[in-house]
């Protein structure tokens, strides 16, 4: 019987279908699994057609509705049909006629190329293959031999083509036409990586576990293309996969993700890291599902994240996976809420302090210190609380201030310590503790108790937690198998905490797993947004060493981001209104559009202006509103508010030199050079986070001088 597989290219297209068309598509896909091959090809409702002038005789089109056509690959070998694309009827045959599918026999994967475009490519004068190493100035890949390119899976057509490429920008421009896996090989080589590294990190992970795949074995190649292709078994799984990131990928996991989420045993804390859209949160949610299904009697799981908004999102998504009886065994709260609850159990009169910086300003004035009050606060936050220092002797230790660039004499340290001690005394006397003090006390209480409150702890968005918060989480669960599961990405760290898991007693050596495949954001958006972080060192999550090599790649293609600079704010917002109206006119639902800005002031200005243009808009508060709620309005929020979410179309507005970076949120260079750089990096990451919330369309605008964080236009 035929079997159906779905190419990731279909995922963003499914969002564009109305409900009746989706139902017709699902009815069609059922026939692919239920009917014998000949009956399927002859079915009158499907109207399966070959393309007489097409590049690939295996490609067929079939009718979904009067307006939409499906494109599928029907290979002669085996009976696995691949749903390749969903397109408006008027463009489907033209697109399908240009495509060709081939088996990459080195990697064992199925690749698609725009064969028509490649045939029209303007090749330079051919390079003499025998003299290739004598022409290193002629092309981007002249330093790589034909033999090595073939070892990496580059076929003859693409080998000839790549000899015509002169620079990385030209390669990127041709990316949509090139076979997906070969394009990634060439991209890695273009970045200066060695042949052996590309072999190890790109080619070998794709190769089948058992045996090679022959050039005509399309059935095996489809099944081995695990990064981009999903084999589906039933109606619900088909709908789940096509439904996209909001619900589908909560149910479907890429094989590597599933292996991590459902591994029976990790012999201690495990960490999953990866860039935006790689499924870290999805893996964490499935890990909770696995843990709750195997809890001992009386066991509990803690699922935690950095903010209340993110926790609310986790609660809603967890409800998609777990039945009510399992959800009752999970606490979904922030680390700060956990600390407050633990402390209040023993000290019911304790309240949370929110004016910590103001308190330090008063203490700094009282002690007549020669440094700004914020310097003293940063010493408290990044030295005393980060390292759990409780005595003057500990603060005077030569290694205590490692990483702080402003030198202090012993006497100066004494002065700072006495000021910090006074501030902490005020906190205790007033019974009002800031979050970091709550965590210090909560960790002490939990360590003293004979039993821990949780059997397992799962942490999402781990990159933003302070060491004091980690100590509470570490103390909340006994060390042992499956004790902690940690997911995060230092590219998205929008606060300035530096953490060493080793120093916190969280040993992850041998249990650290990177995710590299993005299923949400198009290659064009991901590549452009990556330039925001160019030159910024990205440390490994929970470590102070650079992140291991290996770039995140996307399985989706689309349009490059749209950039717009205006003379003033009014002109910028008028242009924004036109862009949003264009998205809505193209069929994108208002709830699938988000506008995000640096501050609440700009957010509120955007709402007023778009309403004046007659557009349906509303402030989006992630603490109160679910991104999956049905809504007839465009959502407008801050850059902090959009963290952890995603939308089909995102506009990032007000990206001016004054807003990013906001220098009033940056430690002056003369006060502390390292803190100055950390504050700038956090704001740069904030812009990166905002831009990578877009799945298909990204619009970035500014007025006056643009932010220096924006990538420079290619020449």
């Amino acid at each position: 019987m035929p079997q159906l597989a779905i190419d990731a290219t279909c995922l963003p297209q499914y969002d564009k279908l109305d409900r009746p068309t989706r139902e017709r598509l699902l009815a069609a896909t059922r026939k692919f699994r239920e009917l014998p091959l000949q009956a399927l090809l002859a079915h009158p409702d499907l109207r399966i057609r070959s393309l007489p002038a097409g590049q690939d005789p295996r490609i067929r089109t079939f009718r979904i509705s009067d307006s939409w056509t499906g494109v599928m690959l029907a290979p002669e070998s085996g009976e696995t049909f691949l749903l390749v694309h969903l397109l408006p009827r008027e463009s489907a045959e033209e697109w399908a006629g240009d495509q060709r599918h081939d088996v990459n026999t080195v990697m064992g994967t199925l690749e698609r190329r725009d064969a028509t475009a490649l045939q029209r490519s303007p090749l330079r004068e051919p390079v003499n293959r025998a003299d290739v190493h004598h022409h290193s100035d002629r092309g981007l890949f002249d330093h790589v031999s034909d033999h090595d390119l073939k070892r990496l899976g580059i076929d003859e057509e693409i080998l000839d083509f790549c000899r015509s490429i002169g620079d990385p920008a030209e390669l990127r421009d041709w990316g949509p036409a090139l076979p997906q896996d070969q394009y990634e090989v060439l991209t890695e080589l273009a970045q200066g990586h060695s042949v052996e590294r590309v072999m190890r990190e790109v080619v070998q992970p794709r190769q089948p576990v058992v045996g090679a795949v022959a050039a005509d074995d399309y059935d095996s190649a489809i099944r081995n293309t695990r990064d981009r292709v999903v084999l589906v078994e039933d109606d619900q799984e088909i709908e789940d996969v096509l439904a996209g990131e909001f619900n589908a990928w909560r149910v479907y996991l890429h094989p590597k993700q599933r292996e991590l989420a459902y591994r029976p045993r990790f012999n201690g804390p495990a960490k999953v890291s990866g860039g935006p859209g790689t499924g870290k949160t999805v893996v964490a949610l499935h890990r909770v599902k696995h843990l709750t299904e195997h809890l001992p009697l009386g066991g509990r799981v803690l699922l935690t994240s950095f903010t209340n908004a993110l926790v609310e999102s986790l609660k809603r998504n967890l409800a998609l996976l777990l039945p009510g009886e399992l959800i009752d065994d999970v606490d979904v709260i922030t680390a700060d809420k956990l600390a407050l609850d633990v402390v209040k159990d023993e000290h019911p009169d304790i309240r949370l302090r929110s004016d910590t910086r103001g308190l330090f300003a008063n203490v700094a004035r009282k002690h007549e210190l020669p440094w700004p009050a914020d310097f003293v606060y940063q010493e408290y936050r990044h030295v005393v609380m980060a390292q759990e220092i409780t005595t003057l002797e500990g603060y005077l230790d030569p290694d205590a201030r490692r990483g702080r660039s402003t030198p202090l004499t012993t006497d100066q340290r004494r002065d700072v310590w006495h000021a910090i001690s006074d501030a902490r005394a005020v906190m205790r006397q007033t019974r009002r503790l800031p979050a970091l003090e709550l965590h210090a006390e909560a960790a002490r209480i939990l360590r003293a108790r004979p039993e821990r409150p949780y059997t397992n702890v799962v942490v999402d968005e781990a990159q933003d937690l302070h060491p004091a918060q980690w100590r509470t989480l570490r103390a909340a669960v006994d060390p042992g198998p499956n004790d902690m599961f940690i997911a995060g990405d230092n590219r998205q760290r929008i606060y300035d905490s530096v953490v060493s898991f080793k120093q916190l007693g969280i040993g992850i050596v041998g249990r650290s797993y990177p995710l590299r495949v993005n299923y949400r954001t198009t290659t064009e958006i991901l590549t452009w947004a990556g330039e925001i972080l160019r030159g910024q060192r990205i440390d490994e999550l929970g470590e102070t060493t650079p992140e291991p090599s290996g770039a995140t790649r996307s399985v989706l293609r689309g349009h490059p981001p749209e950039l717009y600079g205006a003379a003033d704010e009014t002109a910028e917002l008028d242009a924004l209104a036109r862009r949003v109206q264009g998205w809505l006119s193209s069929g994108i639902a208002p709830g699938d559009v988000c506008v995000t800005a640096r501050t609440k002031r700009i957010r509120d200005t955007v709402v007023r202006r778009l309403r004046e243009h007659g557009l349906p808009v509303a402030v989006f508060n992630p603490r109160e509103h679910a991104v999956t709620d049905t809504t007839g309005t465009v959502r407008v929020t801050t850059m902090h508010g959009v963290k952890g979410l995603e939308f089909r179309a995102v506009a990032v507005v007000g990206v001016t030199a004054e807003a990013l970076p906001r220098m009033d949120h940056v430690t002056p260079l003369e006060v502390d050079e390292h803190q100055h750089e950390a504050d700038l990096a956090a704001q740069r990451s904030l812009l990166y986070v905002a831009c990578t919330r877009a799945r298909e369309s990204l619009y970035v605008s500014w007025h006056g001088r643009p932010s220096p964080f924006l990538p420079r236009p290619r020449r």
Side-chain angles (χ1 to χ4, degrees), residues 353-374:
R353 175 182 289 274
S354 59
D355 62 339
T356 311
R357 288 179 182 267
L359 173 60
F360 274 91
N362 292 334
V363 170
R365 284 194 298 270
K366 173 185 172 184
H367 284 257
E368 298 181 344
L369 298 177
W371 307 281
D374 205 50

mmCIF file of all heavy atoms in Angstrom, residues 353-374:
data_model
loop_
_atom_site.group_PDB
_atom_site.id
_atom_site.type_symbol
_atom_site.label_atom_id
_atom_site.label_comp_id
_atom_site.label_asym_id
_atom_site.label_seq_id
_atom_site.Cartn_x
_atom_site.Cartn_y
_atom_site.Cartn_z
ATOM 1 N N ARG A 353 10.824 42.521 47.195
ATOM 2 C CA ARG A 353 11.274 43.905 46.999
ATOM 3 C C ARG A 353 11.503 44.154 45.513
ATOM 4 O O ARG A 353 12.171 43.370 44.836
ATOM 5 C CB ARG A 353 12.572 44.152 47.770
ATOM 6 C CG ARG A 353 13.186 45.528 47.529
ATOM 7 C CD ARG A 353 14.498 45.704 48.289
ATOM 8 N NE ARG A 353 14.252 45.828 49.722
ATOM 9 C CZ ARG A 353 13.969 46.966 50.343
ATOM 10 N NH1 ARG A 353 13.883 48.090 49.648
ATOM 11 N NH2 ARG A 353 13.787 46.993 51.640
ATOM 12 N N SER A 354 10.982 45.273 45.018
ATOM 13 C CA SER A 354 11.137 45.596 43.594
ATOM 14 C C SER A 354 12.024 46.810 43.351
ATOM 15 O O SER A 354 12.313 47.139 42.196
ATOM 16 C CB SER A 354 9.758 45.841 42.963
ATOM 17 O OG SER A 354 9.099 46.909 43.637
ATOM 18 N N ASP A 355 12.465 47.509 44.445
ATOM 19 C CA ASP A 355 13.225 48.753 44.274
ATOM 20 C C ASP A 355 14.688 48.579 44.678
ATOM 21 O O ASP A 355 15.272 49.444 45.323
ATOM 22 C CB ASP A 355 12.590 49.881 45.097
ATOM 23 C CG ASP A 355 12.594 49.571 46.601
ATOM 24 O OD1 ASP A 355 12.712 48.378 46.955
ATOM 25 O OD2 ASP A 355 12.478 50.507 47.405
ATOM 26 N N THR A 356 15.294 47.464 44.289
ATOM 27 C CA THR A 356 16.649 47.154 44.752
ATOM 28 C C THR A 356 17.657 48.205 44.303
ATOM 29 O O THR A 356 18.525 48.628 45.081
ATOM 30 C CB THR A 356 17.069 45.772 44.229
ATOM 31 O OG1 THR A 356 16.022 44.833 44.508
ATOM 32 C CG2 THR A 356 18.349 45.312 44.905
ATOM 33 N N ARG A 357 17.576 48.658 43.073
ATOM 34 C CA ARG A 357 18.528 49.663 42.590
ATOM 35 C C ARG A 357 18.385 50.963 43.384
ATOM 36 O O ARG A 357 19.391 51.625 43.693
ATOM 37 C CB ARG A 357 18.320 49.919 41.093
ATOM 38 C CG ARG A 357 18.793 48.769 40.206
ATOM 39 C CD ARG A 357 18.532 49.063 38.733
ATOM 40 N NE ARG A 357 18.917 47.972 37.873
ATOM 41 C CZ ARG A 357 20.099 47.844 37.287
ATOM 42 N NH1 ARG A 357 21.029 48.756 37.488
ATOM 43 N NH2 ARG A 357 20.372 46.809 36.505
ATOM 44 N N GLY A 358 17.148 51.352 43.709
ATOM 45 C CA GLY A 358 16.965 52.552 44.514
ATOM 46 C C GLY A 358 17.574 52.418 45.889
ATOM 47 O O GLY A 358 18.167 53.372 46.427
ATOM 48 N N LEU A 359 17.446 51.245 46.485
ATOM 49 C CA LEU A 359 18.066 51.007 47.793
ATOM 50 C C LEU A 359 19.576 51.175 47.713
ATOM 51 O O LEU A 359 20.195 51.811 48.583
ATOM 52 C CB LEU A 359 17.708 49.600 48.275
ATOM 53 C CG LEU A 359 18.412 49.123 49.545
ATOM 54 C CD1 LEU A 359 18.101 50.032 50.718
ATOM 55 C CD2 LEU A 359 18.015 47.671 49.857
ATOM 56 N N PHE A 360 20.193 50.638 46.679
ATOM 57 C CA PHE A 360 21.649 50.755 46.544
ATOM 58 C C PHE A 360 22.063 52.192 46.265
ATOM 59 O O PHE A 360 23.144 52.623 46.674
ATOM 60 C CB PHE A 360 22.158 49.800 45.457
ATOM 61 C CG PHE A 360 22.436 48.418 45.981
ATOM 62 C CD1 PHE A 360 21.464 47.442 45.962
ATOM 63 C CD2 PHE A 360 23.677 48.108 46.525
ATOM 64 C CE1 PHE A 360 21.712 46.180 46.463
ATOM 65 C CE2 PHE A 360 23.943 46.844 47.021
ATOM 66 C CZ PHE A 360 22.956 45.874 46.999
ATOM 67 N N ALA A 361 21.225 52.957 45.581
ATOM 68 C CA ALA A 361 21.536 54.374 45.363
ATOM 69 C C ALA A 361 21.585 55.109 46.703
ATOM 70 O O ALA A 361 22.493 55.929 46.951
ATOM 71 C CB ALA A 361 20.501 55.004 44.445
ATOM 72 N N ASN A 362 20.641 54.807 47.582
ATOM 73 C CA ASN A 362 20.637 55.459 48.904
ATOM 74 C C ASN A 362 21.853 55.057 49.724
ATOM 75 O O ASN A 362 22.497 55.888 50.379
ATOM 76 C CB ASN A 362 19.351 55.081 49.658
ATOM 77 C CG ASN A 362 18.116 55.687 49.024
ATOM 78 O OD1 ASN A 362 18.197 56.725 48.367
ATOM 79 N ND2 ASN A 362 16.977 55.042 49.209
ATOM 80 N N VAL A 363 22.192 53.782 49.688
ATOM 81 C CA VAL A 363 23.336 53.300 50.470
ATOM 82 C C VAL A 363 24.637 53.882 49.931
ATOM 83 O O VAL A 363 25.536 54.259 50.700
ATOM 84 C CB VAL A 363 23.368 51.759 50.451
ATOM 85 C CG1 VAL A 363 24.683 51.243 51.042
ATOM 86 C CG2 VAL A 363 22.187 51.194 51.228
ATOM 87 N N ALA A 364 24.775 53.976 48.598
ATOM 88 C CA ALA A 364 25.995 54.530 48.017
ATOM 89 C C ALA A 364 26.183 55.982 48.431
ATOM 90 O O ALA A 364 27.306 56.431 48.721
ATOM 91 C CB ALA A 364 25.953 54.400 46.493
ATOM 92 N N ARG A 365 25.079 56.753 48.465
ATOM 93 C CA ARG A 365 25.176 58.152 48.919
ATOM 94 C C ARG A 365 25.560 58.214 50.392
ATOM 95 O O ARG A 365 26.396 59.031 50.799
ATOM 96 C CB ARG A 365 23.846 58.868 48.677
ATOM 97 C CG ARG A 365 23.599 59.256 47.235
ATOM 98 C CD ARG A 365 22.448 60.249 47.111
ATOM 99 N NE ARG A 365 21.200 59.661 47.596
ATOM 100 C CZ ARG A 365 20.351 58.987 46.816
ATOM 101 N NH1 ARG A 365 20.625 58.822 45.525
ATOM 102 N NH2 ARG A 365 19.227 58.495 47.318
ATOM 103 N N LYS A 366 24.952 57.360 51.194
ATOM 104 C CA LYS A 366 25.232 57.353 52.631
ATOM 105 C C LYS A 366 26.710 57.070 52.897
ATOM 106 O O LYS A 366 27.333 57.694 53.772
ATOM 107 C CB LYS A 366 24.358 56.306 53.316
ATOM 108 C CG LYS A 366 24.674 56.088 54.788
ATOM 109 C CD LYS A 366 23.840 54.953 55.360
ATOM 110 C CE LYS A 366 24.284 54.598 56.774
ATOM 111 N NZ LYS A 366 23.524 53.422 57.303
ATOM 112 N N HIS A 367 27.295 56.159 52.147
ATOM 113 C CA HIS A 367 28.697 55.786 52.357
ATOM 114 C C HIS A 367 29.662 56.695 51.595
ATOM 115 O O HIS A 367 30.881 56.507 51.698
ATOM 116 C CB HIS A 367 28.916 54.330 51.944
ATOM 117 C CG HIS A 367 28.396 53.334 52.942
ATOM 118 N ND1 HIS A 367 29.216 52.648 53.799
ATOM 119 C CD2 HIS A 367 27.130 52.928 53.221
ATOM 120 C CE1 HIS A 367 28.480 51.842 54.564
ATOM 121 N NE2 HIS A 367 27.201 51.992 54.225
ATOM 122 N N GLU A 368 29.132 57.642 50.837
ATOM 123 C CA GLU A 368 29.946 58.591 50.072
ATOM 124 C C GLU A 368 30.991 57.868 49.220
ATOM 125 O O GLU A 368 32.173 58.220 49.197
ATOM 126 C CB GLU A 368 30.626 59.588 51.023
ATOM 127 C CG GLU A 368 29.629 60.433 51.802
ATOM 128 C CD GLU A 368 30.329 61.424 52.723
ATOM 129 O OE1 GLU A 368 31.543 61.245 52.987
ATOM 130 O OE2 GLU A 368 29.666 62.380 53.166
ATOM 131 N N LEU A 369 30.519 56.853 48.511
ATOM 132 C CA LEU A 369 31.419 56.073 47.656
ATOM 133 C C LEU A 369 31.743 56.854 46.382
ATOM 134 O O LEU A 369 30.905 57.602 45.872
ATOM 135 C CB LEU A 369 30.771 54.745 47.295
ATOM 136 C CG LEU A 369 30.464 53.810 48.481
ATOM 137 C CD1 LEU A 369 29.752 52.554 47.996
ATOM 138 C CD2 LEU A 369 31.754 53.427 49.212
ATOM 139 N N PRO A 370 32.953 56.668 45.863
ATOM 140 C CA PRO A 370 33.359 57.430 44.671
ATOM 141 C C PRO A 370 32.841 56.836 43.362
ATOM 142 O O PRO A 370 33.169 57.350 42.298
ATOM 143 C CB PRO A 370 34.890 57.349 44.732
ATOM 144 C CG PRO A 370 35.175 56.052 45.411
ATOM 145 C CD PRO A 370 34.067 55.880 46.427
ATOM 146 N N TRP A 371 32.047 55.778 43.422
ATOM 147 C CA TRP A 371 31.543 55.137 42.208
ATOM 148 C C TRP A 371 30.037 55.363 42.079
ATOM 149 O O TRP A 371 29.350 55.600 43.084
ATOM 150 C CB TRP A 371 31.815 53.623 42.252
ATOM 151 C CG TRP A 371 33.228 53.273 42.514
ATOM 152 C CD1 TRP A 371 34.264 53.280 41.641
ATOM 153 C CD2 TRP A 371 33.778 52.877 43.779
ATOM 154 N NE1 TRP A 371 35.421 52.906 42.250
ATOM 155 C CE2 TRP A 371 35.160 52.654 43.580
ATOM 156 C CE3 TRP A 371 33.257 52.695 45.063
ATOM 157 C CZ2 TRP A 371 36.003 52.252 44.596
ATOM 158 C CZ3 TRP A 371 34.086 52.288 46.091
ATOM 159 C CH2 TRP A 371 35.443 52.072 45.859
ATOM 160 N N PRO A 372 29.501 55.265 40.875
ATOM 161 C CA PRO A 372 28.049 55.360 40.708
ATOM 162 C C PRO A 372 27.344 54.250 41.483
ATOM 163 O O PRO A 372 27.907 53.168 41.700
ATOM 164 C CB PRO A 372 27.852 55.193 39.196
ATOM 165 C CG PRO A 372 29.178 55.503 38.588
ATOM 166 C CD PRO A 372 30.212 55.109 39.581
ATOM 167 N N ALA A 373 26.124 54.528 41.908
ATOM 168 C CA ALA A 373 25.371 53.533 42.669
ATOM 169 C C ALA A 373 25.221 52.234 41.888
ATOM 170 O O ALA A 373 25.232 51.136 42.473
ATOM 171 C CB ALA A 373 23.995 54.087 43.026
ATOM 172 N N ASP A 374 25.102 52.331 40.552
ATOM 173 C CA ASP A 374 24.906 51.119 39.764
ATOM 174 C C ASP A 374 26.135 50.218 39.802
ATOM 175 O O ASP A 374 26.024 49.000 39.688
ATOM 176 C CB ASP A 374 24.569 51.476 38.311
ATOM 177 C CG ASP A 374 23.791 50.364 37.631
ATOM 178 O OD1 ASP A 374 22.791 49.900 38.208
ATOM 179 O OD2 ASP A 374 24.195 49.950 36.533
#
